Amino acid sequence: MSETLVIRSTRVALPDGVREAAVLVRDKRIADIAAYGAQLGAAADVDLGELALLPGLVDTHVHVNEPGRTEWEGFATATRAALAGGITTICDMPLNSVPATTSAAALRAKAAAAAGQCAVDVAFWGGAVPGNLGELSALLDAGAVGFKCFLIDSGLPEFAPLDRGELRAAMKAVAADGAPLIVHAEDPGEVTAPRGPGYDAFVASRPTVAERRAIETVVSAAAATGARAHIAHLAAGDCAALIGAAKAAGVLLSAETCPHYLFFAAEEVPDGRTEFKCCPPIRYAANREALWRALAAGVIDCVVSDHSPCAPALKDLAGGDFRTAFGGIASLQVGLPAVWSVAGRRGHSLADVARWMSAFPASLAGLPSKGRIAVGCDADLVAFDPVASFAVRGEDLLHRHPVTPYEGRTLTGRVSRVWLGGVEVDAAGPPRGRLLRRGGGEM
């Protein structure tokens, strides 16, 4: 007999809205969505009552650093933190491992490092760097879900930025396959060295015009080649009109922002708290409002973490100086409540959050069975209490170096239970995650 499970809730976040429903799971997938009280004859029946049922989150912007940089984040710790935060699939970025994931051989090495360690499902982005155009097709064949590139120095010599000509060539190379090219969009000609150690000086050194000029370059290249382009970690709300106009003109363009840009504002960053440092920077409150408007209007398509925790040793050496501190925001475990804490107050629904943090990221990564509570999709499900509150404490976080700007903040919404492929899982249990390729098959 097939393994069957029913999960009932008065608040199920379906693609068409939130309503009462019973979700039938059979053989790891969603087999039916019925009325809340329907008798479906399953072997196990879970009634969540007023706890919400969400699709497992899909986070397409996570920096895991194995192999070769074991002092940083690893697959075991990153995926445990993801699971605790209601994320059931992550997509790993290509630049922090040694070697960087810019060849099929490097992708196979990273997959070997991840095998058997992952608490959630994992897919991989390949890297587009100068000189590796001939590897892009092989990376897709090896399982990459798409590509990431920089238009500005990434800080890592092995992951150099593309110039305008190289960007257009990379887009031309991937256009036929339909795989997206994710772009870190800051123009190096508009970025300067900070004039002081404080956060205001750091923000001023990376102004919104740096994002605007880079996005103009991306739009031009995407329009010329027909490639699918995606703007990573949009921080400049005043770029929304540019992105919206490009979409309206038929350019295959999408954009993401991150929980920290929606939650924090530069006015709130305390002196010396370099765990707030990221590139592009967290900007001022008026900019945060513009990002929320763009997200509500559909100009920004999704919210993903850009989880990139810094090593405490480097943070300490920086001495609280934003000019020398290594940047990176850690939020895998708290991204969902951070977004919901603000979204709920602004009148958004859990269905909106599911679209931003589950459905669109799954589509971007070419994972059609992820990100939705719909018949035929993987039974990756999250029980979420939308009214519970808690204070963030670094000691409770499961990623390797629990340094986070959310320390001490009270957030609303708590992950209660998680199912991966219809099996209830928790961060203390054995790793059950699979390694996925574009299309959703296993590597």
Side-chain angles (χ1 to χ4, degrees):
M1 178 181 295
S2 298
E3 294 183 18
T4 54
L5 165 69
V6 168
I7 306 175
R8 308 173 191 275
S9 169
T10 60
R11 290 188 279 191
V12 180
L14 298 168
D16 60 350
V18 178
R19 59 180 171 86
E20 295 183 351
V23 178
L24 175 65
V25 175
R26 179 181 292 116
D27 295 334
K28 303 180 181 180
R29 291 184 177 259
I30 296 171
D32 193 13
I33 298 170
Y36 175 76
Q39 299 303 306
L40 299 173
D45 198 312
V46 175
D47 192 338
L48 298 177
E50 294 187 354
L51 289 181
L53 185 65
L54 309 181
L57 272 58
V58 179
D59 191 338
T60 51
H61 198 142
V62 179
H63 292 268
V64 183
N65 307 104
E66 291 177 315
R69 282 197 167 101
T70 54
E71 74 274 19
W72 299 86
E73 189 72 273
F75 283 102
T77 51
T79 58
R80 285 170 55 230
L83 191 159
I87 299 165
T88 52
T89 304
I90 67 168
C91 297
D92 167 67
M93 284 294 170
L95 60 146
N96 301 90
S97 54
V98 179
T101 315
T102 56
S103 68
L107 176 57
R108 287 190 288 269
K110 180 168 272 194
Q117 293 199 61
C118 300
V120 301
D121 290 348
V122 176
F124 303 91
W125 297 109
V129 297
N132 85 324
L133 283 185
E135 281 287 335
L136 300 186
S137 180
L139 274 161
L140 287 176
D141 290 342
V145 294
F147 302 97
K148 167 74 177 290
C149 71
F150 280 71
L151 299 186
I152 194 169
D153 183 10
S154 72
L156 298 169
E158 64 269 26
F159 210 93
L162 302 180
D163 63 25
R164 285 177 171 81
E166 291 164 338
L167 175 69
R168 188 165 294 204
M171 286 195 181
K172 186 176 180 180
V174 303
D177 291 305
L181 182 63
I182 296 177
V183 185
H184 180 123
E186 289 183 285
D187 189 316
E190 302 290 347
V191 172
T192 61
R195 295 184 176 181
Y199 192 71
D200 286 339
F202 174 64
V203 176
S205 75
R206 305 184 88 104
T208 61
V209 69
E211 292 188 69
R212 175 177 292 278
R213 295 287 178 259
I215 293 170
E216 289 170 348
T217 298
V218 173
V219 169
S220 176
T225 61
R228 183 179 182 187
H230 180 79
I231 304 301
H233 44 49
L234 181 71
D238 62 9
C239 291
L242 171 60
I243 294 169
K247 288 183 172 186
V251 178
L252 298 179
L253 182 68
S254 54
E256 69 189 37
T257 192
C258 303
H260 43 279
Y261 299 131
L262 298 170
F263 189 91
F264 296 113
E267 295 94 332
E268 305 167 1
V269 177
D271 290 342
R273 292 284 300 277
T274 53
E275 63 267 34
F276 283 84
K277 183 179 179 182
C278 57
C279 298
I282 296 166
R283 304 192 186 278
Y284 295 94
N287 180 84
R288 179 176 60 190
E289 294 304 308
L291 290 175
W292 273 106
R293 289 193 297 270
L295 185 62
V299 175
I300 297 174
D301 300 276
C302 63
V303 182
V304 292
S305 71
D306 191 11
H307 177 80
S308 184
C310 63
L314 285 181
K315 175 179 177 292
D316 293 341
L317 286 171
D321 189 331
F322 283 93
R323 295 171 299 184
T324 54
F326 184 89
I329 301 292
S331 64
L332 271 173
Q333 196 166 333
V334 298
L336 173 58
V339 171
W340 176 243
S341 293
V342 185
R345 293 199 303 266
R346 290 170 177 262
H348 295 292
S349 72
L350 288 170
D352 294 327
V353 173
R355 183 175 68 255
W356 300 332
M357 303 186 77
S358 298
F360 188 88
S363 173
L364 176 70
L367 301 174
S369 67
K370 299 293 187 183
R372 295 171 296 129
I373 299 179
V375 173
C377 287
D378 290 354
D380 299 343
L381 301 163
V382 174
F384 181 69
D385 187 338
V387 298
S389 62
F390 67 99
V392 178
R393 301 187 304 170
E395 63 196 61
D396 296 331
L397 301 180
L398 300 179
H399 55 264
R400 183 163 188 169
H401 299 297
V403 177
T404 177
Y406 294 95
E407 179 76 41
R409 297 281 184 147
T410 297
L411 303 181
T412 300
R414 183 185 288 275
V415 172
S416 175
R417 303 169 72 174
V418 179
W419 291 264
L420 182 66
V423 176
E424 188 166 4
V425 290
D426 62 56
R432 299 181 58 91
R434 301 172 298 152
L435 307 184
L436 304 178
R437 60 174 56 243
R438 188 166 186 84
E442 293 190 37
M443 292 183 68

